[in-house]
Amino acid sequence: SDTLDVVIRVGLTGGIGAGKSTVAKTFIERGAYHVDADKIAREVVEPGTPGLAQLVEAFGPEILDEAGALDRPSLAARAFADDDSRKLLNSITHPLIGARTQELTDAAPTGSIILHDVPLLVEGHMAPFYHLVAVVHTDADVRLDRLVNLRGMDVDDARSRIAAQATDEQRRAVADLWLENSGAPEALAAQAVAAWDERLIPFRDNVASGTAAPMPTDVVSYDPEWAALGQRVVNRIWALVGGNASAVVHEGPTSVVGQAAAPVVDIAVTVSDFSVADSLAEALAKGGFPLVSSTHDERLHASADPGRHVRVHVRA
Ligand code: ADP
């Protein structure tokens, strides 16, 4: 049949204590394929792994407990002592985590909606590599209260962890889906259910069948968020086309500051000739932007995500 071998990668993030676990649980109950970043980070340094051996070589046998497992406080005391130690730690763990994440992602069956919950997605500049980034948001003072009173965390520890992470503005800039967790946990779960049923499932089905989501045509007043949305899509298109394009630009009505427009982001991708455009068609389609038409001067792709309207004009 005409279906593509596809998966949808959803990156889930939010500040510590924001409520990621509630959202992850809701998605997993509905069938998401879970790639758990915290679990992977633990697995790659389990006893007997090359990862743990490398850490011992770098930081000494004092980082092991009596059973030969990693003693995290002891490692933290050494690895977070200065910038060089922190870099050394990351240079050991990050490639191992990356390889294991890739391996698990590659193993997802066709049609999977992959849920990758990554606390540091924003800090790691990973947003463009997902079909959709979901951000769970709770005000920092509420998070602090929950971490201390519900999770039993030390107040200074909780405060310094919150301060070390990305800001709400940085998270907002990459969010395709924004989930508010200022009310009851049930209210957050209800938002996650709606997102799953009304957005992620149709998105996945559209990508699988190579279908664009319907485009709104009604003109609305200018939205200051359009610039950030345009930048977010530009970054994502760059991630899909890589060095095959010479320019990727937000253009058209939504790129004009202050102007009313139908809420559709137009992206111009410049390539050297149409054979390059055609060679990019499958990557764009798998990435969420199926081909909708070909004319003498452009290949038009459009977003399969029913919650974010994008036209991609590939021109020579
Ligand atoms: P994260 O995974 O983003 O770090 P969690 O999902 O573990 O955050 O939530 C942090 C703490 O706050 C947990 O103890 C959780 O049970 C609690 N919590 C989450 N959402 C709510 C809510 N809406 N109301 C009250 N407590 C909540």
Short mmCIF file of all heavy atoms in Angstrom, two decimals, residues 13-23 38 119 136-151 153 158 161-162 165 168 171 179-183 185 188:
data_model
loop_
_atom_site.label_atom_id
_atom_site.label_comp_id
_atom_site.label_asym_id
_atom_site.label_seq_id
_atom_site.Cartn_x
_atom_site.Cartn_y
_atom_site.Cartn_z
N THR A 13 9.29 17.44 27.92
CA THR A 13 10.19 18.06 28.87
C THR A 13 9.43 19.01 29.79
O THR A 13 8.21 19.18 29.69
CB THR A 13 11.37 18.77 28.16
OG1 THR A 13 12.38 19.07 29.12
CG2 THR A 13 10.94 20.04 27.43
N GLY A 14 10.15 19.65 30.67
CA GLY A 14 9.57 20.56 31.67
C GLY A 14 10.56 20.64 32.81
O GLY A 14 11.42 19.78 32.96
N GLY A 15 10.45 21.68 33.60
CA GLY A 15 11.35 21.83 34.74
C GLY A 15 11.16 20.72 35.75
O GLY A 15 10.13 20.02 35.74
N ILE A 16 12.15 20.55 36.61
CA ILE A 16 12.04 19.52 37.63
C ILE A 16 10.80 19.79 38.50
O ILE A 16 10.56 20.92 38.91
CB ILE A 16 13.33 19.44 38.48
CG1 ILE A 16 13.21 18.35 39.54
CG2 ILE A 16 13.69 20.79 39.11
CD1 ILE A 16 14.53 18.03 40.21
N GLY A 17 9.98 18.74 38.70
CA GLY A 17 8.77 18.88 39.49
C GLY A 17 7.57 19.44 38.74
O GLY A 17 6.52 19.69 39.32
N ALA A 18 7.70 19.60 37.42
CA ALA A 18 6.61 20.22 36.64
C ALA A 18 5.42 19.28 36.45
O ALA A 18 4.29 19.74 36.29
CB ALA A 18 7.13 20.70 35.29
N GLY A 19 5.68 17.97 36.43
CA GLY A 19 4.59 17.02 36.22
C GLY A 19 4.77 16.13 35.00
O GLY A 19 3.80 15.59 34.47
N LYS A 20 6.03 15.96 34.57
CA LYS A 20 6.31 15.12 33.39
C LYS A 20 5.81 13.68 33.60
O LYS A 20 5.31 13.07 32.66
CB LYS A 20 7.81 15.10 33.09
CG LYS A 20 8.36 16.41 32.59
CD LYS A 20 9.83 16.33 32.27
CE LYS A 20 10.71 16.15 33.48
NZ LYS A 20 10.66 17.27 34.45
N SER A 21 5.97 13.17 34.82
CA SER A 21 5.57 11.77 35.06
C SER A 21 4.09 11.54 34.79
O SER A 21 3.71 10.50 34.25
CB SER A 21 5.86 11.35 36.50
OG SER A 21 7.01 11.96 36.96
N THR A 22 3.26 12.51 35.16
CA THR A 22 1.81 12.38 34.93
C THR A 22 1.51 12.30 33.43
O THR A 22 0.72 11.47 32.98
CB THR A 22 1.06 13.59 35.53
OG1 THR A 22 1.36 13.67 36.92
CG2 THR A 22 -0.44 13.46 35.34
N VAL A 23 2.16 13.15 32.67
CA VAL A 23 1.93 13.19 31.22
C VAL A 23 2.46 11.90 30.59
O VAL A 23 1.79 11.27 29.76
CB VAL A 23 2.58 14.43 30.60
CG1 VAL A 23 2.43 14.42 29.09
CG2 VAL A 23 1.98 15.70 31.18
N ASP A 38 15.85 8.97 31.94
CA ASP A 38 16.41 8.73 33.27
C ASP A 38 16.88 7.29 33.42
O ASP A 38 17.94 7.01 33.97
CB ASP A 38 15.35 9.00 34.36
CG ASP A 38 15.23 10.49 34.67
OD1 ASP A 38 16.19 11.23 34.38
OD2 ASP A 38 14.17 10.90 35.20
N PRO A 119 14.48 15.41 30.66
CA PRO A 119 14.48 16.61 31.50
C PRO A 119 15.25 17.78 30.88
O PRO A 119 14.81 18.91 30.97
CB PRO A 119 15.15 16.12 32.79
CG PRO A 119 14.86 14.65 32.84
CD PRO A 119 14.86 14.20 31.40
N VAL A 136 5.60 20.52 29.80
CA VAL A 136 4.71 20.62 30.95
C VAL A 136 5.16 21.81 31.77
O VAL A 136 6.35 21.94 32.10
CB VAL A 136 4.79 19.38 31.87
CG1 VAL A 136 3.65 19.40 32.87
CG2 VAL A 136 4.78 18.11 31.06
N HIS A 137 4.22 22.69 32.09
CA HIS A 137 4.59 23.90 32.81
C HIS A 137 3.88 24.03 34.14
O HIS A 137 2.66 23.86 34.23
CB HIS A 137 4.28 25.14 31.97
CG HIS A 137 4.52 26.42 32.72
ND1 HIS A 137 3.51 27.16 33.25
CD2 HIS A 137 5.68 27.02 33.08
CE1 HIS A 137 4.03 28.19 33.89
NE2 HIS A 137 5.33 28.13 33.81
N THR A 138 4.66 24.33 35.15
CA THR A 138 4.13 24.71 36.47
C THR A 138 5.02 25.84 36.97
O THR A 138 6.25 25.77 36.82
CB THR A 138 4.22 23.53 37.47
OG1 THR A 138 3.60 22.39 36.88
CG2 THR A 138 3.53 23.86 38.78
N ASP A 139 4.43 26.88 37.57
CA ASP A 139 5.24 27.99 38.07
C ASP A 139 6.29 27.47 39.06
O ASP A 139 6.03 26.55 39.83
CB ASP A 139 4.35 29.03 38.77
CG ASP A 139 3.61 29.87 37.75
OD1 ASP A 139 4.11 30.02 36.62
OD2 ASP A 139 2.51 30.35 38.08
N ALA A 140 7.46 28.12 39.03
CA ALA A 140 8.60 27.64 39.82
C ALA A 140 8.29 27.58 41.32
O ALA A 140 8.72 26.64 42.00
CB ALA A 140 9.82 28.52 39.56
N ASP A 141 7.52 28.53 41.85
CA ASP A 141 7.24 28.50 43.29
C ASP A 141 6.36 27.30 43.67
O ASP A 141 6.54 26.69 44.72
CB ASP A 141 6.62 29.83 43.78
CG ASP A 141 5.42 30.26 42.96
OD1 ASP A 141 5.25 29.74 41.83
OD2 ASP A 141 4.65 31.10 43.43
N VAL A 142 5.44 26.92 42.75
CA VAL A 142 4.60 25.74 43.00
C VAL A 142 5.46 24.47 42.91
O VAL A 142 5.30 23.54 43.70
CB VAL A 142 3.42 25.68 41.99
CG1 VAL A 142 2.57 24.43 42.22
CG2 VAL A 142 2.58 26.95 42.08
N ARG A 143 6.38 24.45 41.94
CA ARG A 143 7.27 23.28 41.79
C ARG A 143 8.12 23.10 43.05
O ARG A 143 8.30 21.99 43.55
CB ARG A 143 8.17 23.45 40.57
CG ARG A 143 7.40 23.30 39.27
CD ARG A 143 8.34 23.11 38.12
NE ARG A 143 8.84 24.37 37.59
CZ ARG A 143 10.11 24.61 37.29
NH1 ARG A 143 11.03 23.69 37.47
NH2 ARG A 143 10.46 25.77 36.78
N LEU A 144 8.66 24.21 43.53
CA LEU A 144 9.49 24.15 44.73
C LEU A 144 8.68 23.55 45.88
O LEU A 144 9.15 22.64 46.57
CB LEU A 144 9.97 25.57 45.08
CG LEU A 144 10.93 25.68 46.26
CD1 LEU A 144 12.25 24.98 45.92
CD2 LEU A 144 11.19 27.14 46.61
N ASP A 145 7.46 24.04 46.05
CA ASP A 145 6.59 23.54 47.10
C ASP A 145 6.33 22.04 46.95
O ASP A 145 6.42 21.29 47.92
CB ASP A 145 5.28 24.34 47.05
CG ASP A 145 4.31 23.87 48.12
OD1 ASP A 145 4.62 24.10 49.30
OD2 ASP A 145 3.28 23.26 47.76
N ARG A 146 6.05 21.59 45.72
CA ARG A 146 5.78 20.15 45.50
C ARG A 146 7.02 19.31 45.73
O ARG A 146 6.95 18.22 46.32
CB ARG A 146 5.27 19.92 44.08
CG ARG A 146 3.83 20.40 43.90
CD ARG A 146 3.36 20.19 42.47
NE ARG A 146 2.05 20.80 42.26
CZ ARG A 146 1.54 21.08 41.07
NH1 ARG A 146 2.23 20.81 39.97
NH2 ARG A 146 0.35 21.64 40.97
N LEU A 147 8.18 19.78 45.27
CA LEU A 147 9.42 19.00 45.43
C LEU A 147 9.76 18.83 46.90
O LEU A 147 10.18 17.76 47.34
CB LEU A 147 10.58 19.68 44.69
CG LEU A 147 10.51 19.63 43.16
CD1 LEU A 147 11.58 20.51 42.54
CD2 LEU A 147 10.66 18.19 42.67
N VAL A 148 9.56 19.90 47.67
CA VAL A 148 9.92 19.85 49.09
C VAL A 148 8.87 19.07 49.88
O VAL A 148 9.20 18.18 50.66
CB VAL A 148 10.10 21.28 49.64
CG1 VAL A 148 10.29 21.25 51.15
CG2 VAL A 148 11.28 21.97 48.96
N ASN A 149 7.59 19.37 49.64
CA ASN A 149 6.54 18.79 50.48
C ASN A 149 6.03 17.43 50.01
O ASN A 149 5.58 16.64 50.82
CB ASN A 149 5.38 19.78 50.62
CG ASN A 149 5.83 21.01 51.39
OD1 ASN A 149 6.46 20.89 52.43
ND2 ASN A 149 5.55 22.18 50.84
N LEU A 150 6.10 17.16 48.71
CA LEU A 150 5.61 15.86 48.23
C LEU A 150 6.74 14.87 47.96
O LEU A 150 6.61 13.68 48.19
CB LEU A 150 4.77 16.04 46.96
CG LEU A 150 3.51 16.91 47.11
CD1 LEU A 150 2.84 17.15 45.78
CD2 LEU A 150 2.53 16.25 48.08
N ARG A 151 7.87 15.39 47.43
CA ARG A 151 8.97 14.47 47.12
C ARG A 151 10.03 14.45 48.21
O ARG A 151 10.99 13.70 48.13
CB ARG A 151 9.63 14.87 45.80
CG ARG A 151 8.96 14.28 44.58
CD ARG A 151 10.04 14.07 43.52
NE ARG A 151 9.57 14.19 42.17
CZ ARG A 151 10.32 14.67 41.17
NH1 ARG A 151 11.54 15.13 41.39
NH2 ARG A 151 9.86 14.70 39.96
N MET A 153 12.30 16.65 49.03
CA MET A 153 13.62 17.16 48.65
C MET A 153 14.03 18.30 49.58
O MET A 153 13.18 19.03 50.08
CB MET A 153 13.54 17.67 47.20
CG MET A 153 14.85 17.59 46.44
SD MET A 153 14.63 18.23 44.75
CE MET A 153 14.40 16.73 43.85
N ALA A 158 16.48 21.77 45.99
CA ALA A 158 15.41 21.97 45.01
C ALA A 158 15.55 23.32 44.34
O ALA A 158 15.46 23.44 43.11
CB ALA A 158 14.05 21.84 45.69
N ARG A 161 18.53 23.39 41.91
CA ARG A 161 18.26 22.63 40.69
C ARG A 161 17.35 23.40 39.74
O ARG A 161 17.56 23.40 38.53
CB ARG A 161 17.60 21.29 41.02
CG ARG A 161 18.60 20.29 41.55
CD ARG A 161 17.89 18.99 41.76
NE ARG A 161 18.72 18.09 42.53
CZ ARG A 161 18.84 16.80 42.25
NH1 ARG A 161 18.20 16.30 41.22
NH2 ARG A 161 19.58 16.04 42.99
N ILE A 162 16.33 24.03 40.30
CA ILE A 162 15.42 24.83 39.47
C ILE A 162 16.20 25.96 38.80
O ILE A 162 16.06 26.21 37.60
CB ILE A 162 14.24 25.39 40.32
CG1 ILE A 162 13.29 24.24 40.69
CG2 ILE A 162 13.49 26.49 39.57
CD1 ILE A 162 12.17 24.62 41.65
N GLN A 165 18.34 25.09 35.68
CA GLN A 165 17.69 24.63 34.44
C GLN A 165 17.29 25.80 33.54
O GLN A 165 17.43 26.96 33.90
CB GLN A 165 16.45 23.81 34.80
CG GLN A 165 16.79 22.50 35.50
CD GLN A 165 15.57 21.60 35.66
OE1 GLN A 165 14.43 22.05 35.66
NE2 GLN A 165 15.82 20.31 35.82
N ASP A 168 11.46 29.44 31.76
CA ASP A 168 10.16 29.21 31.12
C ASP A 168 10.13 29.78 29.71
O ASP A 168 9.53 29.18 28.81
CB ASP A 168 9.05 29.87 31.95
CG ASP A 168 8.76 29.08 33.23
OD1 ASP A 168 9.20 27.91 33.32
OD2 ASP A 168 8.10 29.62 34.12
N ARG A 171 11.78 27.40 27.37
CA ARG A 171 10.93 26.23 27.10
C ARG A 171 9.78 26.60 26.19
O ARG A 171 9.42 25.85 25.29
CB ARG A 171 10.40 25.65 28.42
CG ARG A 171 11.46 24.93 29.19
CD ARG A 171 10.86 24.00 30.23
NE ARG A 171 11.94 23.63 31.15
CZ ARG A 171 12.21 24.27 32.27
NH1 ARG A 171 11.47 25.28 32.66
NH2 ARG A 171 13.23 23.91 33.01
N LEU A 179 1.44 22.19 28.11
CA LEU A 179 0.51 21.59 29.04
C LEU A 179 0.65 22.30 30.39
O LEU A 179 1.74 22.36 30.95
CB LEU A 179 0.80 20.09 29.19
CG LEU A 179 0.71 19.29 27.88
CD1 LEU A 179 1.45 17.96 28.00
CD2 LEU A 179 -0.74 19.04 27.50
N GLU A 180 -0.47 22.82 30.90
CA GLU A 180 -0.45 23.59 32.16
C GLU A 180 -0.73 22.65 33.32
O GLU A 180 -1.69 21.90 33.30
CB GLU A 180 -1.57 24.64 32.13
CG GLU A 180 -1.18 25.99 31.60
CD GLU A 180 -0.06 26.69 32.36
OE1 GLU A 180 0.15 26.40 33.56
OE2 GLU A 180 0.63 27.50 31.72
N ASN A 181 0.10 22.73 34.35
CA ASN A 181 -0.13 21.89 35.52
C ASN A 181 -0.23 22.72 36.80
O ASN A 181 0.37 22.40 37.81
CB ASN A 181 0.97 20.83 35.64
CG ASN A 181 0.67 19.80 36.72
OD1 ASN A 181 -0.47 19.60 37.09
ND2 ASN A 181 1.72 19.17 37.22
N SER A 182 -1.02 23.79 36.71
CA SER A 182 -1.21 24.62 37.91
C SER A 182 -2.41 24.17 38.72
O SER A 182 -2.58 24.57 39.86
CB SER A 182 -1.34 26.10 37.51
OG SER A 182 -2.26 26.23 36.45
N GLY A 183 -3.26 23.29 38.12
CA GLY A 183 -4.45 22.82 38.83
C GLY A 183 -4.26 21.42 39.38
O GLY A 183 -3.17 21.04 39.82
N PRO A 185 -3.94 17.25 39.31
CA PRO A 185 -3.29 16.30 38.40
C PRO A 185 -4.26 15.79 37.32
O PRO A 185 -3.87 15.55 36.18
CB PRO A 185 -2.84 15.16 39.30
CG PRO A 185 -2.79 15.73 40.68
CD PRO A 185 -3.77 16.85 40.73
N LEU A 188 -4.36 17.99 34.33
CA LEU A 188 -3.20 17.78 33.45
C LEU A 188 -3.40 16.52 32.61
O LEU A 188 -3.17 16.52 31.39
CB LEU A 188 -1.92 17.67 34.28
CG LEU A 188 -0.63 17.36 33.49
CD1 LEU A 188 -0.32 18.48 32.50
CD2 LEU A 188 0.54 17.13 34.44
#
